[in-house]
């Protein structure tokens, strides 16, 4: 089976449609379809089947995609080994980070990699952890986050490594009646107006835990994913919120831990299973670990 056609199948699995695959590979949709038909003949089995106006992978197609990951990874390793003869680790590593994680870790990561020969191309992607498989179509490493009680994002095609734990705290306006306490119990928050993030993100998952503890559905007045905006709204007295501990920068808000609730998010480094064998990627992963360890200390 031709490796180029295996790459086409892999892209289709990641992107979901022939049109999106064609755009990613700078091909025409008809050329993509032709390559997939040839690959099916080479494999000797049906790899795709109609699903409405789209195509979906058969069981055989899904199995071959996993093997295609192995083939592409082997080719990437071969290229990396050739780079080693020119003084590896070198090369470009594409990294996606959620915004508050990027603010916390990216400056230190770039400092750690300065002069290493590794070119990090970073981009912020504010998506839930469930989007990791899709993001890995365009990135070598994805820094994501999840509620600490949620399962990790590992799968046959994704390796997810816990990087660090960050507590999620309550932030209150100055002068709030609870501001003088050392910690706040969930039952004390039943009547509050909440400013939260969109559903599917760790901060909102913790808010749902507060709801479970109190038996009261939180009154969410706004949903905004920008932590800076949330801080400003809380500081102005427009509600209370939960925020990741290291993301709080506004000195006028009151920051307190929650009592009796597991309130934290886990940072995860996600990549394809064989990505660690590429020297440049392995160097970036280790730099992430070193920076996170310094913060934890």
């Amino acid at each position: 089976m031709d490796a180029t056609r295996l790459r086409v199948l892999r892209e289709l699995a990641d992107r979901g449609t022939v049109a999106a695959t064609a755009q990613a590979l700078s091909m025409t949709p008809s050329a993509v379809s032709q390559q997939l038909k040839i690959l099916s003949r080479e494999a000797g089995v049906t790899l795709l089947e109609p699903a409405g106006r789209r195509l979906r992978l058969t069981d055989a197609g899904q199995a071959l995609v996993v093997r295609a990951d192995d083939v592409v990874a082997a080719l990437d390793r071969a290229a990396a080994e050739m780079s080693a003869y020119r003084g590896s680790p070198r090369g470009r590593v594409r990294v996606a980070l959620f915004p508050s994680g990027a603010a916390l870790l990216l400056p230190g990561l770039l400092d750690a990699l300065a002069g290493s020969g590794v070119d990090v191309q970073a981009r912020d992607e504010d998506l839930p952890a469930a989007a990791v498989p899709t993001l890995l179509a365009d990135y070598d490493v994805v820094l994501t986050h999840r509620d600490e009680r949620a399962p990790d994002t590992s799968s046959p095609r994704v390796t997810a490594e816990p990087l660090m734990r960050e507590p999620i705290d309550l932030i209150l306006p100055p002068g709030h009646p609870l501001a003088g306490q050392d910690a706040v119990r969930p039952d004390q928050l039943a009547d509050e107006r909440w400013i939260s993030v969109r559903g599917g993100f760790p901060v909102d998952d913790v808010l749902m835990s507060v709801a479970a503890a109190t038996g009261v559905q939180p009154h969410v007045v706004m949903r905004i994913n920008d932590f800076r905006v949330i801080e400003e709204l809380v500081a102005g007295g427009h509600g209370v919120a939960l925020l990741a501990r290291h993301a709080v920068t506004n000195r006028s808000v009151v920051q307190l831990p929650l009592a009796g609730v597991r309130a934290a998010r886990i940072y995860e480094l996600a990549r394809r299973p064989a990505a660690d064998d590429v020297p440049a990627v392995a160097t970036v992963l280790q730099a992430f670990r070193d920076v996170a360890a310094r913060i934890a200390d």
Side-chain angles (χ1 to χ4, degrees), residues 52-63:
R53 298 179 65 181
R54 296 189 175 192
L55 293 174
R56 67 183 174 200
L57 294 170
T58 63
D59 290 345
Q62 291 174 353

Side-chain angles (χ1 to χ4, degrees), residues 10-250:
R10 185 173 180 254
E11 289 289 335
L12 179 67
D14 288 336
R15 302 184 186 279
T17 67
V18 170
T21 300
Q23 183 176 9
L25 296 175
S26 299
M27 299 171 65
T28 65
S30 60
V32 168
S33 297
Q34 182 65 18
Q35 291 297 303
L36 293 171
K37 288 178 182 177
I38 295 172
L39 180 61
S40 186
R41 289 201 298 269
E42 290 176 341
V45 294
T46 301
L47 301 175
L48 300 165
E49 59 188 6
R53 298 179 65 181
R54 296 189 175 192
L55 293 174
R56 67 183 174 200
L57 294 170
T58 63
D59 290 345
Q62 291 174 353
L64 186 56
V65 166
V66 175
R67 298 306 171 204
D69 284 339
D70 294 338
V71 170
V72 172
L75 291 172
D76 290 343
R77 286 196 301 274
E81 288 173 9
M82 296 303 99
S83 295
Y85 290 100
R86 300 189 297 271
S88 191
R90 294 185 179 277
R92 180 188 68 170
V93 179
R94 302 163 300 168
V95 179
L97 313 90
F98 60 96
S100 58
L104 183 64
L105 298 178
L106 186 56
L109 179 78
L110 296 177
D111 288 344
L113 293 171
S116 69
V118 176
D119 175 23
V120 172
Q121 296 193 350
R123 184 170 178 175
D124 64 309
E125 293 281 2
D126 197 9
L127 296 171
V132 164
T134 301
L135 289 172
L136 285 173
D138 293 310
Y139 298 99
D140 302 300
V141 178
V142 175
L143 178 70
T144 187
H145 55 151
R146 59 171 174 82
D147 183 270
E148 66 177 342
R149 291 153 304 181
D152 66 29
T153 51
S154 295
S155 72
R157 299 188 66 214
V158 177
T159 295
E161 170 191 343
L163 182 66
M164 60 178 281
R165 178 185 186 273
E166 181 181 21
I168 291 177
D169 292 332
L170 176 70
I171 62 168
L172 303 169
H176 190 282
L178 299 174
Q181 299 185 184
D182 293 331
V184 178
R185 301 187 315 273
D187 62 273
Q188 295 178 284
L189 300 167
D191 297 325
E192 296 293 341
R193 290 163 50 88
W194 288 93
I195 302 167
S196 189
V197 299
R198 294 193 293 272
F201 290 88
V203 167
D204 197 62
D205 291 340
V206 172
L207 183 56
M208 292 304 99
S209 296
V210 171
T214 61
V216 178
Q217 187 68 20
H219 177 40
V220 179
V221 294
M222 280 173 274
R223 290 192 180 274
I224 297 172
N225 269 33
D226 190 316
F227 284 173
R228 175 68 184 277
V229 176
I230 292 176
E231 285 185 283
E232 293 296 327
L233 291 170
V234 172
H238 298 288
V240 303
L242 298 173
L243 281 187
R245 181 165 295 175
H246 296 301
V248 179
T249 59
N250 190 318

